[in-house]
Amino acid sequence: MAFHPWLIVIITLVSFKTFFLFNNALRNAGFDENYAVNWGNQHVLFLNQGREVQLSLDSSSGAGFQSKEYFASGYFQMRIKLPDKDSAGVVTAFYLYTDVNTHDELDFEFLGNRPGKPIALQTNVFTNGVGGREQKTNLWFDPTADFHYYKLLWNQQQIVFFVDDIPIRVFKNNINKGVGYPTGTMRVMVSLWDGSNWATDGGRSKANYSNAPFQAHFQDFNIDGCPSTPTSPNKECYSTKYSWNEKEYWQLNSNQLKAYENVRKKYMTYDYCADRKRYPTPPPECIG
Ligand SMILES: *[C@@H]1O[C@H](CO)[C@@H](O)[C@H](O)[C@H]1NC(C)=O
C-alpha cells in the first residue's frame, strides 16, 4: 500500500507538533542546567528530580544558589514558597546581582515575621553601588501557603518587579536625568539567611532558633535571559531577538498600570520616594 501524499503531510504535521511539545518539556529545566549552589551545601535539598529545591536556615548556616551564567537582559522568574510559622528575622531573597565592574542589584527580599503578622516584601535597586531605594509591600495572599511567581523584567527601557503577573514596582531608565541604571551584566541569585539585626520590626524581632530549621522552597529553574560575557554586555542582548526588548515591554500597558496603581494604593507600606526624613530632597528618579 502506497502512502497517500496527504497522509505524509499529516504525519509531518503530527511530528512537528510532537517536536514542539517535546521542546516545551525540555524547557522544564532541572536545577543543574542553569544554577549551582554557592553556599551552605549541607542546607540544600533537591526534591522532585531537581525540579524543586529546599533551602534551610538553622543556627549553623543558611544557604544560597546562583545562576551559572551572567545576563544582560531578560524576564527572570522564580516560584517561591516562604518559610512558615515563626519566621521573624528570616530573609528569603531572589535577586539579580553583579560586582564585576560596578555593584548593581535588583532585590526581592521577603522579611519573615511572627505568626499571624504579615510578611513584607521589600524591593531595592542598586546602581553603581548606590542603593537606599527601598519599597515595602504587604502581600495580598499568604506566601507561606503556596508557591507564587516573582519576576523581574530587565531591558534598557525599564525594570519591573512582578508578583505573579501584577507589577508592583517600576524603575525606568533615567540615565538622561543622571540616575544610574544597570547597563552591564548580572547573575540570578537566591538565598535564605538570618537578617535578625534589621529585617523585622527594625531588628527588634529576631530569629527564634527553637523554631528552626526555617525552610524556603523554589521551583522553575528556566532562565529567560540573554547570556553574556560578564565583563561587557553582549550587544545582541538589547535586540528584539529577545521578546522582552520589544516595544510592548518598554512601559506598562493600561491593564498593568491599573493593577500597579491598585497594589501601590492598597498594599505599599513604605516608599523611599516619600520618606522626607531620610531624603529631604527626593532622589531624581522619584520626580515626574
Ligand atoms: C521561641 O519559640 C519557642 C517555641 O515556639 C517559644 O516557647 C519561646 O517563647 C520563643 N521565644 C521567644 C523569645 O519568642
Side-chain angles (χ1 to χ4, degrees):
M1 188 184 94
F3 282 115
H4 191 278
W6 278 111
L7 195 57
I8 291 170
V9 169
I10 288 166
I11 288 169
T12 310
L13 287 176
V14 168
S15 19
F16 262 110
K17 182 116 199 264
T18 313
F19 171 77
F20 282 115
L21 285 176
F22 182 57
N23 232 13
N24 279 345
L26 275 186
R27 257 192 53 80
N28 185 7
F31 179 87
D32 293 336
E33 205 174 304
N34 291 321
Y35 289 98
V37 172
N38 63 323
W39 68 289
N41 259 300
Q42 302 305 312
H43 291 71
V44 182
L45 188 66
F46 295 94
L47 305 162
N48 194 11
Q49 282 95 44
R51 260 57 185 186
E52 182 171 329
V53 165
Q54 172 189 284
L55 299 185
S56 300
L57 167 68
D58 62 23
S59 57
S60 72
S61 180
F65 59 87
Q66 63 187 20
S67 61
K68 294 178 176 175
E69 300 254 30
Y70 280 79
F71 301 91
S73 69
Y75 199 167
F76 305 89
Q77 85 285 320
M78 187 60 62
R79 263 165 71 74
I80 308 176
K81 191 163 79 152
L82 297 175
D84 62 3
K85 307 199 180 82
D86 184 355
S87 63
V90 176
V91 179
T92 309
F94 163 52
Y95 58 113
L96 299 183
Y97 176 82
T98 187
D99 60 0
V100 175
N101 295 317
T102 173
H103 172 201
D104 293 336
E105 186 174 327
L106 307 174
D107 291 312
F108 278 106
E109 290 178 319
F110 300 90
L111 313 181
N113 214 336
R114 296 283 180 234
K117 293 196 173 169
I119 289 175
L121 167 54
Q122 173 167 289
T123 60
N124 202 357
V125 174
F126 286 77
T127 60
N128 306 322
V130 178
R133 298 189 175 102
E134 293 88 351
Q135 294 185 350
K136 278 192 198 181
T137 305
N138 286 337
L139 295 167
W140 46 94
F141 51 83
D142 177 0
T144 73
D146 288 302
F147 284 92
H148 286 267
Y149 264 111
Y150 303 93
K151 305 183 197 173
L152 276 166
L153 169 67
W154 173 34
N155 58 38
Q156 285 306 298
Q157 275 69 39
Q158 64 173 356
I159 289 157
V160 184
F161 294 73
F162 292 89
V163 172
D164 293 317
D165 285 317
I166 300 187
I168 62 156
R169 178 169 191 173
V170 179
F171 189 85
K172 295 215 169 272
N173 185 336
N174 275 316
I175 281 182
N176 59 359
K177 285 194 203 166
V179 181
Y181 195 82
T183 54
T185 66
M186 291 192 276
R187 70 198 328 180
V188 187
M189 316 273 297
V190 168
S191 58
L192 179 69
W193 46 284
D194 186 333
S196 286
N197 57 357
W198 66 276
T200 311
D201 302 325
R204 286 185 302 279
S205 297
K206 302 194 184 298
N208 179 346
Y209 280 99
S210 52
N211 302 314
F214 307 102
Q215 294 169 334
H217 293 85
F218 304 88
Q219 293 177 344
D220 193 346
F221 303 113
N222 298 300
I223 299 184
D224 290 312
C226 172
S228 174
T229 51
T231 45
S232 75
N234 177 350
K235 290 302 166 217
E236 194 175 82
C237 292
Y238 301 156
S239 80
T240 51
K241 180 184 163 194
Y242 295 100
S243 60
W244 52 79
N245 292 323
E246 284 171 14
K247 215 162 180 182
E248 60 179 293
Y249 292 97
W250 291 8
Q251 55 187 43
L252 300 186
N253 67 35
S254 60
N255 285 335
Q256 288 176 324
L257 197 58
K258 255 183 247 164
Y260 168 77
E261 283 166 357
N262 181 52
V263 161
R264 288 172 68 87
K265 197 168 69 197
K266 288 192 185 147
Y267 299 102
M268 197 161 82
T269 58
Y270 177 81
D271 183 4
Y272 77 110
C273 283
D275 189 341
R276 285 291 159 278
K277 264 193 205 139
R278 192 172 170 204
Y279 296 108
T281 308
E285 70 273 17
C286 297
I287 300 160

